Amino acid sequence: MVIVMEQGAEPGQIEAVIEAVQKEGFTPFVNPGVERKVIAVLGVIDSVKVALVDRFSNLPGVERVQLISEAYKLSSRSYHPEDTLIEVGGVRIGGPEVVIIAGPCSVESRSQILEAAEAVKAAGAKMLRGGAFKPRTSPYSFQGLGEPGLKLLAEAREATGLPVVTEVLDPHDISLVVKYADVLQVGARNMQNYALLQRLGKTSKPVLLKRGPGCRLREMLQAAEYIMIGGNHRIILCERGITTFEDATRNTTDINAIPVLKHWSHLPVILDPSHSTGHVRYVSAIACAGVAAGADGLIVEVHPNPAEALSDGVQSLTPERFQQMMQVVKRVSWAVGREVAAK
Amino acid sequence: MVIVMEQGAEPGQIEAVIEAVQKEGFTPFVNPGVERKVIAVLGVIDSVKVALVDRFSNLPGVERVQLISEAYKLSSRSYHPEDTLIEVGGVRIGGPEVVIIAGPCSVESRSQILEAAEAVKAAGAKMLRGGAFKPRTSPYSFQGLGEPGLKLLAEAREATGLPVVTEVLDPHDISLVVKYADVLQVGARNMQNYALLQRLGKTSKPVLLKRGPGCRLREMLQAAEYIMIGGNHRIILCERGITTFEDATRNTTDINAIPVLKHWSHLPVILDPSHSTGHVRYVSAIACAGVAAGADGLIVEVHPNPAEALSDGVQSLTPERFQQMMQVVKRVSWAVGREVAAK
Amino acid sequence: MVIVMEQGAEPGQIEAVIEAVQKEGFTPFVNPGVERKVIAVLGVIDSVKVALVDRFSNLPGVERVQLISEAYKLSSRSYHPEDTLIEVGGVRIGGPEVVIIAGPCSVESRSQILEAAEAVKAAGAKMLRGGAFKPRTSPYSFQGLGEPGLKLLAEAREATGLPVVTEVLDPHDISLVVKYADVLQVGARNMQNYALLQRLGKTSKPVLLKRGPGCRLREMLQAAEYIMIGGNHRIILCERGITTFEDATRNTTDINAIPVLKHWSHLPVILDPSHSTGHVRYVSAIACAGVAAGADGLIVEVHPNPAEALSDGVQSLTPERFQQMMQVVKRVSWAVGREVAAK
Amino acid sequence: MVIVMEQGAEPGQIEAVIEAVQKEGFTPFVNPGVERKVIAVLGVIDSVKVALVDRFSNLPGVERVQLISEAYKLSSRSYHPEDTLIEVGGVRIGGPEVVIIAGPCSVESRSQILEAAEAVKAAGAKMLRGGAFKPRTSPYSFQGLGEPGLKLLAEAREATGLPVVTEVLDPHDISLVVKYADVLQVGARNMQNYALLQRLGKTSKPVLLKRGPGCRLREMLQAAEYIMIGGNHRIILCERGITTFEDATRNTTDINAIPVLKHWSHLPVILDPSHSTGHVRYVSAIACAGVAAGADGLIVEVHPNPAEALSDGVQSLTPERFQQMMQVVKRVSWAVGREVAAK
C-alpha cells in the first residue's frame, strides 16, 4: 500500500500519517519524492489493508491511497499457486478437460427439461443448466416455476446422470435449492448481494459465480472472497458479458477476462456465450473464442424449441445447432491443448 | 411494439408472425417496407408486452423486436401524470421543497450518530441517514453494527425528530429494519435483487431505491415496478453515480438522469453527490448541480470526524463543510424556483 | 513514478531496473516490501517520465509502472496555480463572469446566422458559435458550407459585435479558418488528432478543445499539452458528454468533469449541454447544473427554426427557450457567486 | 425509418409530419397505435434517410425517430452479399487464409526493422507492420521517425518481400506515405477524422481502418462509408479494443465485434490482440480467440528486443514468443476451417 501526499503537504501532516500507520501496526517508509512525498506501508498483504484505505485516505494532506497488490487473498494465485480442480458428480472442472454445461434458460415443463437434458448429453455436455427461480428485468416477465422446477431438474439428472446447475436468488431459498442442485449459481445481478454470498460460504455445494455486468474483475474476486471466507472454496468463475456503450450485442463479451482471471486466480473460469452475445447467431463463434482464450468450460443455453421458449429464446440454440457448435468446440479445444471428453 | 423482419423474410414467415401476434390477443399491422417488413403490434401498453419480446424475437425470419413505449407502467408519468409526493414524519419529498438527507455512511457509536444527527439538523437537513448493515466490496472491510446500530438510529431520531433512512440488505431482515427505520434504502448493488424488491413491495414504509452503477434508467424504473406491483407505491429514486471508463472520480455522476427520470416518471428523484463523486473535494459542487438540474433532494455523507470514519471517510463532509454547502444549496434552490425549508 | 516488481522477482532483475533508472538520470529508491519490491523513481515531474513508462514496463520482472503525479505539465495547476483568463474581443473567460456562447450547429444561410446572432445577443450571449466545416457520423449528412459559411460568420460578427467560435477539421484549413474566427474549435472526434493539435499550437488564436466522448480527463489535458507545447497557452476546455452504456440521452454529461478539471488545471472549463444531453427537453436543466458545478461558461445550440435545421435540430433551442434558459442561468450564476454580465 | 409520436400528439401535428415526409419524397404510413401513433417512412434505404433523422426529429409532437435498417450502405452485406477479398502484393485478405501481419509498433532503426521483418516472416507472417508517424497520448513520448522511417520500411519490404502496413496521421501526408506503403492504416484515434477519411477515398491503396476505442460498430461502418463513397472500396476493418470501466487490461477486446462485423458487412475483419489487451501476457490467448471467432487476420506487435522498444514494449512479443503463438494460431485456424499459409 502506498500513500501519496498532496504536493503542498506540510511536515506535520506527514508526521501524522506516519503515526497513523504505526498505530495500525505497520512500518511506514517515506520516499523522498521531489514533487510530492509517497509513504509506503510495509508489513502485510493488501487484502487485509483494504479496510485501511478509507482510514488513511482522509487524513489531512493525503492525496490518495493506492493498493500495490491484490485486494483479495483466498482466491489469488499468489495464495494458492496451483489450479483448483472442482469435482461434481464425476465431472472435473479446472483440469485438462473443457467442460460443457448446457440446457434451457428456464425449466418450463417436464417434457421440455427432459428433452433438453437428453439432447445436450447426446451432443457431449457434461452438466445440465436450467433455472427454477428467474431474476427478470421486468416483473411482467416469466419468473420461473420455483420448487416444482427444481424437482424436474432432479428428475432430469436421474434420467441422464448429468449434474445440475441452478440459480438461487434469495438467501433463504438456499436450504431448498441445495436439496436438488449440484452446483448453486449466483446470477449476474446478485454478484454483490453480500447477504447471499455470505450464506453460500456456509454450504457444501460448489458455487458458479457469474460476473455482474457492471463489475470489475477485482470486484468479482472480492465477491468470491466473501464466499471463501465462510469456508466454501469451491467456486467457478463465469464471464457472461459486461455492459458497455456498444449496443450491437446484448452485452460485450470481455474475452480478456479469461486469461486475466486465470493469471490472477487459481479458480476455474468458464464463459457463457449465450448471455455475453444475446443472439444465437453469434453463440458458436464466441464459444470457440472462449475455449481458444483458455476457458475451462462453457455454459450454453439450449432449448428443444427456442421459438416457444418463455425466456431467452433469441439466444438459445436448438439441439441441432448445439451439436454443430460442439463439433467445432472440440476441434478448438484440441488446438489449444485441451479436450472435450467423449461421452 | 414493432417486429422487424429480416430482409429476405419469406411470406410464410410473415404469416407465422401475424398468427402468433393474433394468438396472443393483439392486432398485427403490417407496414409494406421496401427493404424489409415491419409488423406493428397494437392493443396494449408495452409494459405488458415485455413478456412477449422473447416470444416474438425467436420466430423464424424475425430480425428484432423493438418496444415503442415504456417497459414499465406504474412508475411512468403517462400512467400517473402528477408528481408523487411522499410524506415521512412530516417531511414531504417531491414537492416544492428540496429535502436534504444527511448523516454518516455507517453508524459507528452512540456519540458519533448523535453528534452527526444534531449537526446535520442544525445545518438544515430534514432526515438522517446512517447504515447499520453495510454492503462492502471487500469482506475485510467494516460490515456495520447490525441491530445495535438500528437502535442507535432510533435514539438519534428521538433526540432530533429527524426521520431515519437506513439500508436493508437481506430480504429476511426487512421485518427487523422496519421496526426502526422510517425509509428503507435499497443499496446500489441490490437494485436488481428481486427477492428483496418483491418483499419490499409488501411493506408500508417508503423505499429509497439507489441506482445500480451499471444499470440503465429504464432498468431502474423496472426495479421500482417490482416494488410497486406489490402495492408499495412510495418510492424515492436516487442517482448515485454510474461506472464508466473515467477514473478521475469514484463514479460518474449521471446528472442527465435527474431531468430524464422527472420526465419519464412521477416519482421523486434525489442525488447522492457523496457516492457519485467519491471525494469530499467535489461534493458541494455536485450537490449544487443536482439541485440546479431539478433534484427533489440530496442525500449526503456527513461525519463528525471523517479522518476516524470506518467507511467512506474520504467522501464524508465535516459538519462545517456541510454547513457551508447548505448555504450554497439554499441559494441554488431559490434560483431554480425551489426552496430548502428553514428549520 | 513507481515501478512495482513481480512477486517472485529475482535480485538480478531488481538490479537491472535500478541500473536502467540510473542510466536515464534518475534516482531509484527501493522500498523493502514484504510481498513485492517497489522502486520509486525520484528526480523530475511525471510528465517527462511518461516516455519512460514503456521503457521500464518491459524490463524483466516488472509487474507494472505507475505514475504518481500528473502525466501533463503546462496545463496543470501545480505548474500554474492561478486561473488562466482568456480574453477574446473584449470577453473574458475564466474570471468571475459565466460566459455564454450560443448559436446554431451549422451555418446554413445568411438570414439564419444573422437572425441567430441577433437573438442570442439579445438574450445575453457573449460569443457566437456556428459550424462551417461539420464532422458528421454519416457521409450522407450535411457537411457544412465551407468558406462561404466562414464569411457569413464574419458578417454576423460585424453586425453584432459577438466574437465567433467555429470548428476546424483539417490541419491544412487552419490558415483559412484563422482569417475569420476568433476562437478555433477542436471537435470531440478530433481531440486526439495530433496533427491538428500540433499545428494549432503555432497559431495565435485561442482554442476551444472539446472532450472526446471516449476520452479520460487526463487524456484531455494531454491533448491540451500538445497545443501548449507549441506555444499557444490559450485553451478553453469543454465537457460535451461521454459515451456510456446509458442510452436515455445521446451522451452522458460528466458533470464531475467540471470540478475535477478546475482542480487539476488552471484553464477555463465550459459545458456544452446541447451535445451532452442531445435533447432540447434537457438542455436548460443541465446548463444550470453546469454553472452550479463551477463552469466558466456554456456553449449552447440555438436555431431560429429548429424544425428546419440541417443538423442537430432536436437539441437546438428556439430563441424563446434560450431566453428563458438565460433567466435561470443568471440566477444560478448569482447563487454560486458568479455572474452573467448584462449586455 | 419509423417516427414515434408523443403520447398526446395532436391530429394537426400528425398531419404536419405526414406532409413533411411526403415533401421529402417518401410515403408515410400511419400505424393506429393505442398509446401513441407511429408513422413508418417507406421508400428508400435508411443510409440515405440518415440526413432526415434530424429533420423529422424536431417536428412538433415527435417523440423520436428510429432507423429500422442500417445507417450505412456500401459497406453493408445487403448491398454486397459476398465477402470482399483484398489482394496486396500477392497476399489475399478475406478469403480462406487467416493472414498474420506483424512487426514493431514504431520503426526505430534500420537494424531493428530489418531484424523484425525477417523474424516475423520466418514465423509465418505475411505482411509487415511498423509506424513512422506515431500518435501518442502524451506529447512527451516518442513520435516516430517520419519519412526516414518510411524508407526503412520500404527497405524491409525489399529484403523480405512482405508488403508494408503503416499509419498515416495527417491528410496532407497521404501522398508521401502512399509512395512507400502497401496498406494505409487509419489509427484508432483518427477513426472519425473525416478530413483524413475523405482523402483516403481518393487513393488507390487499401486502407486498414482501426476502430476508435469509444466508437460503436455502426459508427465504424459509417467511417468506412466515408472512404468508400470516394471510390476506394478496399477496406480492412480492425477491432483493437474499446474503452470500458474494466481496468485490468489496457482496453477491452470486443470479441463480439468479429462475428457482428462479418454479419453486417462484406469487408474483411482482423483483430489486433496487442492493443486490445495491452500486455504480452495475454496476446497469444486473445489472438487465438480472434481466429476462433472468425477473424480474417491478426495484426500483432513483435519487437526484436521489447525491453529496449521506444513504444508499446510491454505489449510486444519477442520473435520467440511470436513463433510460439503462431503454432497455436495455426492449429486454431485449422480447427475453425481456415488456414495460415505455409511460407
Side-chain angles (χ1 to χ4, degrees), chain C residues 3-170:
Chain C
I3 302 173
V4 181
M5 301 299 294
E6 288 172 1
Q7 207 156 1
E10 293 161 22
Q13 292 176 327
I14 295 169
E15 271 312 302
V17 170
I18 289 171
E19 277 168 38
V21 170
Q22 287 169 333
K23 195 175 144 200
E24 298 290 343
F26 303 109
T27 308
F29 197 77
V30 183
N31 286 258
V34 171
E35 305 152 76
R36 55 185 78 208
K37 296 281 177 287
V38 174
I39 300 164
V41 180
L42 311 173
V44 288
I45 66 157
D46 277 359
S47 59
V48 177
K49 291 178 200 159
V50 165
L52 298 169
V53 172
D54 277 337
R55 174 81 186 82
F56 294 146
S57 292
N58 45 55
L59 291 171
V62 171
E63 171 78 24
R64 68 180 177 283
V65 177
Q66 289 181 338
L67 291 176
I68 291 298
S69 50
E70 304 87 0
Y72 43 88
K73 180 185 168 191
L74 302 174
S75 56
S76 77
R77 205 171 264 284
S78 41
Y79 176 79
H80 185 295
E82 293 79 34
D83 283 353
T84 281
L85 206 71
I86 296 176
E87 189 163 342
V88 193
V91 181
R92 293 154 62 100
I93 305 190
E97 186 183 341
V98 174
V99 175
I100 313 300
I101 307 168
C105 174
S106 306
V107 181
E108 295 167 3
S109 70
R110 188 168 178 280
S111 63
Q112 174 245 20
I113 190 67
L114 287 175
E115 196 178 331
E118 295 290 359
V120 302
K121 186 185 180 187
K126 288 309 191 69
M127 296 183 72
L128 176 67
R129 62 150 291 154
F133 296 100
K134 296 303 304 172
R136 305 300 303 278
T137 308
S138 167
Y140 302 106
S141 301
F142 175 61
Q143 309 278 321
L145 293 181
E147 188 169 6
L150 294 174
K151 288 183 175 162
L152 294 174
L153 282 168
E155 193 179 336
R157 176 179 49 209
E158 293 290 298
T160 58
L162 298 180
V164 159
V165 183
T166 198
E167 179 162 354
V168 57
L169 277 176
D170 187 324

Side-chain angles (χ1 to χ4, degrees), chain A:
Chain A
M1 182 191 270
V2 149
I3 302 173
V4 181
M5 300 301 294
E6 288 173 1
Q7 208 155 2
E10 293 160 23
Q13 292 176 326
I14 295 169
E15 270 313 301
V17 170
I18 289 172
E19 277 168 37
V21 170
Q22 287 168 334
K23 196 176 142 199
E24 299 288 342
F26 303 108
T27 308
F29 197 78
V30 184
N31 285 261
V34 171
E35 303 152 78
R36 57 185 79 209
K37 296 283 177 283
V38 174
I39 299 164
V41 180
L42 311 174
V44 286
I45 66 157
D46 277 358
S47 60
V48 177
K49 291 179 201 160
V50 165
L52 298 168
V53 171
D54 278 338
R55 173 85 185 80
F56 294 147
S57 291
N58 45 55
L59 292 171
V62 171
E63 171 80 22
R64 68 180 178 283
V65 177
Q66 288 181 340
L67 291 176
I68 291 299
S69 49
E70 305 86 1
Y72 43 88
K73 180 187 168 191
L74 302 174
S75 56
S76 77
R77 206 171 262 286
S78 40
Y79 176 78
H80 185 296
E82 294 80 32
D83 284 352
T84 283
L85 206 71
I86 295 176
E87 189 162 342
V88 194
V91 182
R92 293 154 61 99
I93 304 189
E97 186 183 340
V98 174
V99 174
I100 313 302
I101 307 169
C105 175
S106 307
V107 181
E108 295 167 5
S109 70
R110 186 167 180 278
S111 63
Q112 174 244 22
I113 190 66
L114 287 176
E115 197 178 329
E118 295 290 358
V120 302
K121 184 185 181 187
K126 287 311 191 71
M127 297 183 73
L128 176 66
R129 62 149 291 154
F133 296 100
K134 296 301 304 171
R136 305 301 302 277
T137 307
S138 167
Y140 303 105
S141 300
F142 175 60
Q143 308 278 322
L145 293 181
E147 188 170 5
L150 295 174
K151 288 183 175 163
L152 294 174
L153 282 168
E155 193 179 338
R157 175 180 50 207
E158 293 291 297
T160 58
L162 297 181
V164 159
V165 183
T166 198
E167 180 162 353
V168 57
L169 276 177
D170 187 324
H172 294 256
D173 288 339
I174 293 178
S175 54
L176 175 70
V177 178
V178 151
K179 285 198 284 179
Y180 301 99
D182 299 288
V183 176
L184 303 168
Q185 180 177 314
V186 175
R189 283 170 276 208
N190 280 315
M191 194 199 86
Q192 295 186 312
N193 179 341
Y194 301 124
L196 183 63
L197 299 178
Q198 283 170 330
R199 285 170 202 255
L200 286 169
K202 298 303 182 190
T203 64
S204 60
K205 295 277 172 79
V207 174
L208 193 160
L209 179 66
K210 291 197 136 189
R211 179 183 186 180
C215 297
R216 295 188 182 88
L217 294 175
R218 64 171 180 270
E219 294 169 322
M220 191 183 190
L221 291 179
Q222 288 176 309
E225 202 84 358
Y226 262 93
I227 305 172
M228 296 176 89
I229 247 178
N232 185 353
H233 285 213
R234 297 201 296 161
I235 297 172
I236 302 160
L237 304 171
C238 180
E239 163 66 25
R240 47 74 72 205
I242 58 174
T243 306
T244 71
F245 62 84
E246 180 55 67
D247 52 12
T249 45
R250 181 171 169 187
N251 291 290
T252 296
T253 308
D254 181 4
I255 194 82
N256 292 358
I258 294 170
V260 170
L261 288 173
K262 295 297 291 180
H263 179 65
W264 286 0
S265 176
H266 53 90
L267 297 170
V269 178
I270 69 171
L271 176 68
D272 174 348
S274 306
H275 283 88
S276 81
T277 62
H279 202 290
V280 77
R281 189 186 288 138
Y282 308 126
V283 170
S284 181
I286 301 306
C288 291
V291 172
D296 296 306
L298 299 170
I299 180 164
V300 182
E301 291 192 347
V302 178
H303 192 287
N305 184 2
E308 297 289 332
L310 294 178
S311 57
D312 282 356
V314 74
Q315 68 193 34
S316 295
L317 299 176
T318 58
E320 293 67 32
R321 288 186 85 154
F322 177 64
Q323 168 94 32
Q324 290 158 15
M325 183 199 93
M326 286 296 285
Q327 299 310 313
V328 200
V329 162
K330 281 178 190 175
R331 288 201 301 272
V332 174
S333 300
W334 169 87
V336 295
R338 306 287 287 265
E339 58 189 72
V340 174
K343 292 160 284 171

Side-chain angles (χ1 to χ4, degrees), chain B residues 4-321:
Chain B
V4 181
M5 301 301 293
E6 288 173 1
Q7 208 155 1
E10 292 160 24
Q13 292 176 326
I14 295 169
E15 270 312 301
V17 170
I18 289 171
E19 277 168 36
V21 170
Q22 287 168 333
K23 195 176 142 199
E24 299 289 342
F26 303 108
T27 307
F29 198 77
V30 184
N31 286 260
V34 172
E35 305 152 75
R36 57 186 78 209
K37 296 282 178 285
V38 174
I39 299 164
V41 180
L42 311 174
V44 288
I45 64 159
D46 277 357
S47 59
V48 177
K49 290 179 200 159
V50 165
L52 298 169
V53 171
D54 278 339
R55 173 84 185 81
F56 294 147
S57 291
N58 46 55
L59 292 171
V62 171
E63 170 79 23
R64 69 181 177 283
V65 176
Q66 288 181 340
L67 291 175
I68 290 299
S69 50
E70 306 86 0
Y72 43 89
K73 179 187 169 191
L74 302 174
S75 56
S76 76
R77 205 172 262 286
S78 40
Y79 176 79
H80 184 295
E82 295 80 32
D83 283 351
T84 282
L85 206 71
I86 295 176
E87 190 163 340
V88 194
V91 181
R92 292 155 61 99
I93 305 189
E97 186 183 341
V98 174
V99 174
I100 313 299
I101 307 168
C105 175
S106 306
V107 182
E108 294 167 5
S109 69
R110 187 168 179 278
S111 62
Q112 174 245 20
I113 190 67
L114 287 175
E115 197 178 329
E118 294 291 359
V120 302
K121 185 186 180 187
K126 289 309 190 70
M127 297 184 72
L128 177 66
R129 61 150 293 154
F133 296 100
K134 297 300 307 170
R136 306 299 304 278
T137 309
S138 167
Y140 302 106
S141 299
F142 175 61
Q143 308 279 321
L145 293 181
E147 188 169 7
L150 295 174
K151 289 183 175 161
L152 294 174
L153 282 168
E155 192 180 339
R157 176 179 48 207
E158 292 291 297
T160 58
L162 298 181
V164 159
V165 183
T166 198
E167 179 162 354
V168 57
L169 277 176
D170 187 324
H172 294 257
D173 289 339
I174 293 178
S175 54
L176 175 69
V177 178
V178 152
K179 285 198 284 178
Y180 302 99
D182 300 289
V183 176
L184 304 168
Q185 179 178 314
V186 175
R189 282 170 276 208
N190 279 315
M191 196 198 85
Q192 295 186 311
N193 179 341
Y194 301 123
L196 183 63
L197 299 178
Q198 282 170 331
R199 285 168 202 255
L200 287 169
K202 298 302 182 192
T203 65
S204 61
K205 295 276 171 82
V207 174
L208 193 160
L209 180 65
K210 292 197 134 187
R211 179 183 187 181
C215 296
R216 295 187 182 89
L217 294 174
R218 64 170 181 270
E219 293 168 323
M220 190 183 191
L221 291 179
Q222 288 176 308
E225 201 84 359
Y226 261 94
I227 304 173
M228 297 176 89
I229 248 178
N232 185 352
H233 285 213
R234 297 200 296 161
I235 298 172
I236 302 160
L237 303 172
C238 180
E239 163 65 25
R240 47 75 71 206
I242 57 174
T243 306
T244 71
F245 62 84
E246 179 55 69
D247 52 11
T249 46
R250 183 171 166 186
N251 292 290
T252 296
T253 308
D254 181 5
I255 194 80
N256 292 357
I258 294 170
V260 170
L261 288 174
K262 295 296 291 179
H263 178 66
W264 286 0
S265 177
H266 53 89
L267 298 170
V269 178
I270 69 171
L271 176 67
D272 174 347
S274 306
H275 283 89
S276 81
T277 62
H279 202 290
V280 77
R281 189 186 288 137
Y282 307 125
V283 170
S284 182
I286 300 307
C288 291
V291 172
D296 297 305
L298 299 170
I299 180 164
V300 182
E301 291 192 347
V302 178
H303 193 286
N305 184 1
E308 298 289 333
L310 294 178
S311 57
D312 280 357
V314 73
Q315 69 192 33
S316 295
L317 298 177
T318 58
E320 293 68 32
R321 289 188 82 155

Side-chain angles (χ1 to χ4, degrees), chain C residues 47 51 54-55 58 136-140 143 170 172 189 192-194 199 222 225-226 306-307 312-314, chain D residues 47 51 54-55 58 136-141 143 170 172 189 192-194 199 222 225-226 306-307 312-314:
Chain C
S47 59
D54 277 337
R55 174 81 186 82
N58 45 55
R136 305 300 303 278
T137 308
S138 167
Y140 302 106
Q143 309 278 321
D170 187 324
H172 295 257
R189 283 170 276 211
Q192 294 187 311
N193 179 340
Y194 301 122
R199 284 168 203 256
Q222 288 177 308
E225 201 84 359
Y226 261 94
D312 281 356
V314 74
Chain D
S47 59
D54 278 338
R55 173 83 187 81
N58 45 53
R136 305 301 302 279
T137 308
S138 167
Y140 302 106
S141 300
Q143 309 278 321
D170 187 324
H172 294 256
R189 283 171 276 209
Q192 294 186 311
N193 179 340
Y194 301 122
R199 284 169 204 255
Q222 287 176 310
E225 202 85 358
Y226 262 93
D312 281 355
V314 74

